Amino acid sequence: LYSEYDFRKKNNFPYVVGKLAISQNNRIYKDKTPISNIYSKDITHILRYRCQALLTSYVTINNDNPKLTCRLYGLEKSSPTIAIIDKNLKIKSSSKVFKNKNLKKIIFSKSINKAKIKRLRYTNTEIFNIKTLGKEFNLRYVLSILHKKNLQRILIESGPTLLQNFINNGLVNEFYLFKSNKNITI
């Protein structure tokens, strides 16, 4: 019952939940072909409701243009803060997440594009300028910032690259894999 709480207190770190949907033939996504069904989508919205932040990448935002909100009846106002990894601030500011000004957003970047930063801040977006370790961000540092902002349960909803980096660094506490009965061809 208290394992999640104990983990957070012991490690001063948020509890991280990973989620990935794949096709029957283990493909991730192609041309916006939906993999999930109504049941897995409902579970995704329950996960969004139960987490204080949803972590994704600019690639997911730019390619999919998702809303990333909780759309369960009666829980629409319980959407998580959206945390976005975007090293060079390549995110499209016309994306749905930025049109929703009620949705809190955090971007982790190393960009110094002052005009874009200023534009994004008008959309309820906080930007953290952090350094990279080689090509990648220090994911532990990203999580520590989220923890300091009292975001204690994080859902990673991204493509396989970002999720794999979290898994490889031993930073995922719980994982949901949705496997469809549909095949996707390349």
PDB file of all heavy atoms in Angstrom, residues 1-17 50 152-153 173-174:
ATOM      1  N   LEU A   1       0.819  -1.201   0.000  1.00  0.00           N
ATOM      2  CA  LEU A   1       0.000   0.000   0.000  1.00  0.00           C
ATOM      3  C   LEU A   1       0.858   1.258   0.000  1.00  0.00           C
ATOM      4  O   LEU A   1       0.548   2.226  -0.667  1.00  0.00           O
ATOM      5  CB  LEU A   1      -0.940  -0.014   1.197  1.00  0.00           C
ATOM      6  CG  LEU A   1      -1.891   1.167   1.340  1.00  0.00           C
ATOM      7  CD1 LEU A   1      -2.834   1.257   0.145  1.00  0.00           C
ATOM      8  CD2 LEU A   1      -2.688   1.046   2.625  1.00  0.00           C
ATOM      9  N   TYR A   2       1.967   1.251   0.719  1.00  0.00           N
ATOM     10  CA  TYR A   2       2.779   2.447   0.842  1.00  0.00           C
ATOM     11  C   TYR A   2       4.076   2.394   0.033  1.00  0.00           C
ATOM     12  O   TYR A   2       4.937   3.240   0.221  1.00  0.00           O
ATOM     13  CB  TYR A   2       3.126   2.695   2.315  1.00  0.00           C
ATOM     14  CG  TYR A   2       1.925   3.076   3.129  1.00  0.00           C
ATOM     15  CD1 TYR A   2       1.332   2.165   3.994  1.00  0.00           C
ATOM     16  CD2 TYR A   2       1.376   4.342   3.012  1.00  0.00           C
ATOM     17  CE1 TYR A   2       0.222   2.517   4.736  1.00  0.00           C
ATOM     18  CE2 TYR A   2       0.260   4.698   3.749  1.00  0.00           C
ATOM     19  CZ  TYR A   2      -0.309   3.784   4.606  1.00  0.00           C
ATOM     20  OH  TYR A   2      -1.409   4.142   5.333  1.00  0.00           O
ATOM     21  N   SER A   3       4.238   1.446  -0.852  1.00  0.00           N
ATOM     22  CA  SER A   3       5.521   1.299  -1.555  1.00  0.00           C
ATOM     23  C   SER A   3       5.867   2.529  -2.379  1.00  0.00           C
ATOM     24  O   SER A   3       7.022   2.968  -2.406  1.00  0.00           O
ATOM     25  CB  SER A   3       5.524   0.048  -2.434  1.00  0.00           C
ATOM     26  OG  SER A   3       4.533   0.151  -3.423  1.00  0.00           O
ATOM     27  N   GLU A   4       4.902   3.129  -3.036  1.00  0.00           N
ATOM     28  CA  GLU A   4       5.147   4.329  -3.840  1.00  0.00           C
ATOM     29  C   GLU A   4       5.560   5.497  -2.942  1.00  0.00           C
ATOM     30  O   GLU A   4       6.527   6.207  -3.217  1.00  0.00           O
ATOM     31  CB  GLU A   4       3.886   4.671  -4.625  1.00  0.00           C
ATOM     32  CG  GLU A   4       4.069   5.705  -5.672  1.00  0.00           C
ATOM     33  CD  GLU A   4       2.809   5.903  -6.487  1.00  0.00           C
ATOM     34  OE1 GLU A   4       2.151   4.915  -6.866  1.00  0.00           O
ATOM     35  OE2 GLU A   4       2.485   7.072  -6.749  1.00  0.00           O
ATOM     36  N   TYR A   5       4.843   5.682  -1.853  1.00  0.00           N
ATOM     37  CA  TYR A   5       5.158   6.740  -0.887  1.00  0.00           C
ATOM     38  C   TYR A   5       6.552   6.517  -0.299  1.00  0.00           C
ATOM     39  O   TYR A   5       7.361   7.447  -0.214  1.00  0.00           O
ATOM     40  CB  TYR A   5       4.098   6.760   0.212  1.00  0.00           C
ATOM     41  CG  TYR A   5       4.423   7.680   1.357  1.00  0.00           C
ATOM     42  CD1 TYR A   5       4.157   9.049   1.273  1.00  0.00           C
ATOM     43  CD2 TYR A   5       4.994   7.195   2.534  1.00  0.00           C
ATOM     44  CE1 TYR A   5       4.461   9.906   2.321  1.00  0.00           C
ATOM     45  CE2 TYR A   5       5.295   8.035   3.583  1.00  0.00           C
ATOM     46  CZ  TYR A   5       5.024   9.390   3.472  1.00  0.00           C
ATOM     47  OH  TYR A   5       5.332  10.226   4.511  1.00  0.00           O
ATOM     48  N   ASP A   6       6.838   5.271   0.094  1.00  0.00           N
ATOM     49  CA  ASP A   6       8.140   4.947   0.672  1.00  0.00           C
ATOM     50  C   ASP A   6       9.270   5.230  -0.315  1.00  0.00           C
ATOM     51  O   ASP A   6      10.313   5.756   0.055  1.00  0.00           O
ATOM     52  CB  ASP A   6       8.197   3.483   1.107  1.00  0.00           C
ATOM     53  CG  ASP A   6       7.327   3.210   2.326  1.00  0.00           C
ATOM     54  OD1 ASP A   6       6.969   4.168   3.040  1.00  0.00           O
ATOM     55  OD2 ASP A   6       6.996   2.021   2.543  1.00  0.00           O
ATOM     56  N   PHE A   7       9.048   4.889  -1.606  1.00  0.00           N
ATOM     57  CA  PHE A   7      10.059   5.149  -2.627  1.00  0.00           C
ATOM     58  C   PHE A   7      10.352   6.642  -2.723  1.00  0.00           C
ATOM     59  O   PHE A   7      11.508   7.065  -2.746  1.00  0.00           O
ATOM     60  CB  PHE A   7       9.599   4.617  -3.996  1.00  0.00           C
ATOM     61  CG  PHE A   7      10.516   5.031  -5.109  1.00  0.00           C
ATOM     62  CD1 PHE A   7      11.672   4.313  -5.368  1.00  0.00           C
ATOM     63  CD2 PHE A   7      10.245   6.160  -5.875  1.00  0.00           C
ATOM     64  CE1 PHE A   7      12.542   4.714  -6.376  1.00  0.00           C
ATOM     65  CE2 PHE A   7      11.105   6.563  -6.877  1.00  0.00           C
ATOM     66  CZ  PHE A   7      12.261   5.842  -7.134  1.00  0.00           C
ATOM     67  N   ARG A   8       9.319   7.459  -2.777  1.00  0.00           N
ATOM     68  CA  ARG A   8       9.498   8.912  -2.911  1.00  0.00           C
ATOM     69  C   ARG A   8      10.223   9.498  -1.701  1.00  0.00           C
ATOM     70  O   ARG A   8      11.121  10.323  -1.844  1.00  0.00           O
ATOM     71  CB  ARG A   8       8.152   9.599  -3.109  1.00  0.00           C
ATOM     72  CG  ARG A   8       7.520   9.309  -4.449  1.00  0.00           C
ATOM     73  CD  ARG A   8       6.350  10.222  -4.756  1.00  0.00           C
ATOM     74  NE  ARG A   8       5.437  10.427  -3.650  1.00  0.00           N
ATOM     75  CZ  ARG A   8       4.241   9.861  -3.536  1.00  0.00           C
ATOM     76  NH1 ARG A   8       3.810   9.040  -4.471  1.00  0.00           N
ATOM     77  NH2 ARG A   8       3.473  10.118  -2.509  1.00  0.00           N
ATOM     78  N   LYS A   9       9.841   9.071  -0.511  1.00  0.00           N
ATOM     79  CA  LYS A   9      10.470   9.595   0.709  1.00  0.00           C
ATOM     80  C   LYS A   9      11.935   9.160   0.821  1.00  0.00           C
ATOM     81  O   LYS A   9      12.799   9.940   1.194  1.00  0.00           O
ATOM     82  CB  LYS A   9       9.703   9.146   1.956  1.00  0.00           C
ATOM     83  CG  LYS A   9       8.402   9.879   2.132  1.00  0.00           C
ATOM     84  CD  LYS A   9       8.661  11.348   2.352  1.00  0.00           C
ATOM     85  CE  LYS A   9       7.390  12.111   2.538  1.00  0.00           C
ATOM     86  NZ  LYS A   9       7.573  13.549   2.491  1.00  0.00           N
ATOM     87  N   LYS A  10      12.196   7.911   0.492  1.00  0.00           N
ATOM     88  CA  LYS A  10      13.550   7.371   0.614  1.00  0.00           C
ATOM     89  C   LYS A  10      14.492   7.990  -0.423  1.00  0.00           C
ATOM     90  O   LYS A  10      15.648   8.273  -0.134  1.00  0.00           O
ATOM     91  CB  LYS A  10      13.516   5.851   0.428  1.00  0.00           C
ATOM     92  CG  LYS A  10      14.860   5.186   0.517  1.00  0.00           C
ATOM     93  CD  LYS A  10      14.735   3.698   0.310  1.00  0.00           C
ATOM     94  CE  LYS A  10      16.101   3.045   0.290  1.00  0.00           C
ATOM     95  NZ  LYS A  10      16.029   1.643  -0.069  1.00  0.00           N
ATOM     96  N   ASN A  11      14.003   8.220  -1.638  1.00  0.00           N
ATOM     97  CA  ASN A  11      14.867   8.653  -2.741  1.00  0.00           C
ATOM     98  C   ASN A  11      14.770  10.132  -3.090  1.00  0.00           C
ATOM     99  O   ASN A  11      15.533  10.607  -3.928  1.00  0.00           O
ATOM    100  CB  ASN A  11      14.546   7.823  -3.990  1.00  0.00           C
ATOM    101  CG  ASN A  11      14.835   6.365  -3.780  1.00  0.00           C
ATOM    102  OD1 ASN A  11      15.979   5.966  -3.669  1.00  0.00           O
ATOM    103  ND2 ASN A  11      13.786   5.556  -3.709  1.00  0.00           N
ATOM    104  N   ASN A  12      13.813  10.863  -2.490  1.00  0.00           N
ATOM    105  CA  ASN A  12      13.582  12.260  -2.878  1.00  0.00           C
ATOM    106  C   ASN A  12      13.454  12.395  -4.387  1.00  0.00           C
ATOM    107  O   ASN A  12      14.105  13.231  -5.024  1.00  0.00           O
ATOM    108  CB  ASN A  12      14.680  13.188  -2.353  1.00  0.00           C
ATOM    109  CG  ASN A  12      14.469  13.541  -0.920  1.00  0.00           C
ATOM    110  OD1 ASN A  12      13.339  13.644  -0.460  1.00  0.00           O
ATOM    111  ND2 ASN A  12      15.554  13.707  -0.193  1.00  0.00           N
ATOM    112  N   PHE A  13      12.635  11.545  -4.939  1.00  0.00           N
ATOM    113  CA  PHE A  13      12.480  11.419  -6.379  1.00  0.00           C
ATOM    114  C   PHE A  13      11.038  11.075  -6.683  1.00  0.00           C
ATOM    115  O   PHE A  13      10.391  10.367  -5.900  1.00  0.00           O
ATOM    116  CB  PHE A  13      13.361  10.243  -6.821  1.00  0.00           C
ATOM    117  CG  PHE A  13      14.296  10.544  -7.929  1.00  0.00           C
ATOM    118  CD1 PHE A  13      15.136  11.631  -7.886  1.00  0.00           C
ATOM    119  CD2 PHE A  13      14.352   9.710  -9.030  1.00  0.00           C
ATOM    120  CE1 PHE A  13      16.017  11.893  -8.913  1.00  0.00           C
ATOM    121  CE2 PHE A  13      15.216   9.953 -10.052  1.00  0.00           C
ATOM    122  CZ  PHE A  13      16.058  11.050  -9.998  1.00  0.00           C
ATOM    123  N   PRO A  14      10.499  11.505  -7.802  1.00  0.00           N
ATOM    124  CA  PRO A  14       9.128  11.102  -8.137  1.00  0.00           C
ATOM    125  C   PRO A  14       9.060   9.631  -8.549  1.00  0.00           C
ATOM    126  O   PRO A  14      10.052   9.042  -8.968  1.00  0.00           O
ATOM    127  CB  PRO A  14       8.759  12.018  -9.307  1.00  0.00           C
ATOM    128  CG  PRO A  14      10.029  12.499  -9.867  1.00  0.00           C
ATOM    129  CD  PRO A  14      11.053  12.439  -8.776  1.00  0.00           C
ATOM    130  N   TYR A  15       7.896   9.083  -8.421  1.00  0.00           N
ATOM    131  CA  TYR A  15       7.604   7.716  -8.865  1.00  0.00           C
ATOM    132  C   TYR A  15       7.291   7.805 -10.352  1.00  0.00           C
ATOM    133  O   TYR A  15       6.469   8.613 -10.773  1.00  0.00           O
ATOM    134  CB  TYR A  15       6.406   7.198  -8.077  1.00  0.00           C
ATOM    135  CG  TYR A  15       6.080   5.746  -8.278  1.00  0.00           C
ATOM    136  CD1 TYR A  15       6.735   4.770  -7.543  1.00  0.00           C
ATOM    137  CD2 TYR A  15       5.105   5.352  -9.185  1.00  0.00           C
ATOM    138  CE1 TYR A  15       6.415   3.426  -7.704  1.00  0.00           C
ATOM    139  CE2 TYR A  15       4.790   4.019  -9.353  1.00  0.00           C
ATOM    140  CZ  TYR A  15       5.450   3.058  -8.611  1.00  0.00           C
ATOM    141  OH  TYR A  15       5.131   1.731  -8.771  1.00  0.00           O
ATOM    142  N   VAL A  16       7.942   6.993 -11.172  1.00  0.00           N
ATOM    143  CA  VAL A  16       7.830   7.109 -12.625  1.00  0.00           C
ATOM    144  C   VAL A  16       7.092   5.909 -13.217  1.00  0.00           C
ATOM    145  O   VAL A  16       7.441   4.762 -12.953  1.00  0.00           O
ATOM    146  CB  VAL A  16       9.220   7.252 -13.278  1.00  0.00           C
ATOM    147  CG1 VAL A  16       9.103   7.327 -14.795  1.00  0.00           C
ATOM    148  CG2 VAL A  16       9.936   8.488 -12.740  1.00  0.00           C
ATOM    149  N   VAL A  17       6.087   6.226 -14.024  1.00  0.00           N
ATOM    150  CA  VAL A  17       5.280   5.214 -14.712  1.00  0.00           C
ATOM    151  C   VAL A  17       5.536   5.366 -16.211  1.00  0.00           C
ATOM    152  O   VAL A  17       5.418   6.458 -16.760  1.00  0.00           O
ATOM    153  CB  VAL A  17       3.771   5.422 -14.429  1.00  0.00           C
ATOM    154  CG1 VAL A  17       2.930   4.404 -15.172  1.00  0.00           C
ATOM    155  CG2 VAL A  17       3.500   5.369 -12.935  1.00  0.00           C
ATOM    156  N   ARG A  50      -4.159   9.992 -12.520  1.00  0.00           N
ATOM    157  CA  ARG A  50      -3.433   9.587 -11.312  1.00  0.00           C
ATOM    158  C   ARG A  50      -2.034  10.186 -11.196  1.00  0.00           C
ATOM    159  O   ARG A  50      -1.403  10.080 -10.154  1.00  0.00           O
ATOM    160  CB  ARG A  50      -3.328   8.061 -11.270  1.00  0.00           C
ATOM    161  CG  ARG A  50      -4.678   7.385 -11.034  1.00  0.00           C
ATOM    162  CD  ARG A  50      -4.555   5.890 -10.866  1.00  0.00           C
ATOM    163  NE  ARG A  50      -3.753   5.594  -9.689  1.00  0.00           N
ATOM    164  CZ  ARG A  50      -2.864   4.614  -9.630  1.00  0.00           C
ATOM    165  NH1 ARG A  50      -2.668   3.828 -10.663  1.00  0.00           N
ATOM    166  NH2 ARG A  50      -2.171   4.405  -8.535  1.00  0.00           N
ATOM    167  N   GLN A 152       4.848  14.389  -7.882  1.00  0.00           N
ATOM    168  CA  GLN A 152       5.347  13.175  -7.251  1.00  0.00           C
ATOM    169  C   GLN A 152       5.162  11.894  -8.052  1.00  0.00           C
ATOM    170  O   GLN A 152       5.826  10.906  -7.795  1.00  0.00           O
ATOM    171  CB  GLN A 152       4.681  13.009  -5.878  1.00  0.00           C
ATOM    172  CG  GLN A 152       4.912  14.183  -4.955  1.00  0.00           C
ATOM    173  CD  GLN A 152       6.386  14.399  -4.671  1.00  0.00           C
ATOM    174  OE1 GLN A 152       7.126  13.461  -4.412  1.00  0.00           O
ATOM    175  NE2 GLN A 152       6.822  15.638  -4.721  1.00  0.00           N
ATOM    176  N   ARG A 153       4.247  11.915  -8.999  1.00  0.00           N
ATOM    177  CA  ARG A 153       3.983  10.726  -9.826  1.00  0.00           C
ATOM    178  C   ARG A 153       4.018  11.189 -11.279  1.00  0.00           C
ATOM    179  O   ARG A 153       3.225  12.025 -11.693  1.00  0.00           O
ATOM    180  CB  ARG A 153       2.644  10.111  -9.462  1.00  0.00           C
ATOM    181  CG  ARG A 153       2.361   8.802 -10.155  1.00  0.00           C
ATOM    182  CD  ARG A 153       1.042   8.205  -9.621  1.00  0.00           C
ATOM    183  NE  ARG A 153       0.597   7.105 -10.422  1.00  0.00           N
ATOM    184  CZ  ARG A 153       0.903   5.833 -10.193  1.00  0.00           C
ATOM    185  NH1 ARG A 153       1.654   5.516  -9.166  1.00  0.00           N
ATOM    186  NH2 ARG A 153       0.446   4.878 -10.983  1.00  0.00           N
ATOM    187  N   ASN A 173       9.589   2.977 -12.468  1.00  0.00           N
ATOM    188  CA  ASN A 173       9.127   2.136 -11.360  1.00  0.00           C
ATOM    189  C   ASN A 173       8.019   1.185 -11.757  1.00  0.00           C
ATOM    190  O   ASN A 173       7.855   0.128 -11.143  1.00  0.00           O
ATOM    191  CB  ASN A 173       8.606   3.019 -10.214  1.00  0.00           C
ATOM    192  CG  ASN A 173       9.652   3.959  -9.703  1.00  0.00           C
ATOM    193  OD1 ASN A 173       9.771   5.068 -10.196  1.00  0.00           O
ATOM    194  ND2 ASN A 173      10.439   3.530  -8.738  1.00  0.00           N
ATOM    195  N   GLU A 174       7.237   1.578 -12.744  1.00  0.00           N
ATOM    196  CA  GLU A 174       6.046   0.813 -13.149  1.00  0.00           C
ATOM    197  C   GLU A 174       5.911   0.972 -14.654  1.00  0.00           C
ATOM    198  O   GLU A 174       6.210   2.037 -15.196  1.00  0.00           O
ATOM    199  CB  GLU A 174       4.847   1.429 -12.437  1.00  0.00           C
ATOM    200  CG  GLU A 174       3.573   0.680 -12.479  1.00  0.00           C
ATOM    201  CD  GLU A 174       2.520   1.369 -11.600  1.00  0.00           C
ATOM    202  OE1 GLU A 174       2.823   1.735 -10.444  1.00  0.00           O
ATOM    203  OE2 GLU A 174       1.403   1.549 -12.100  1.00  0.00           O
TER     204      GLU A 174
END
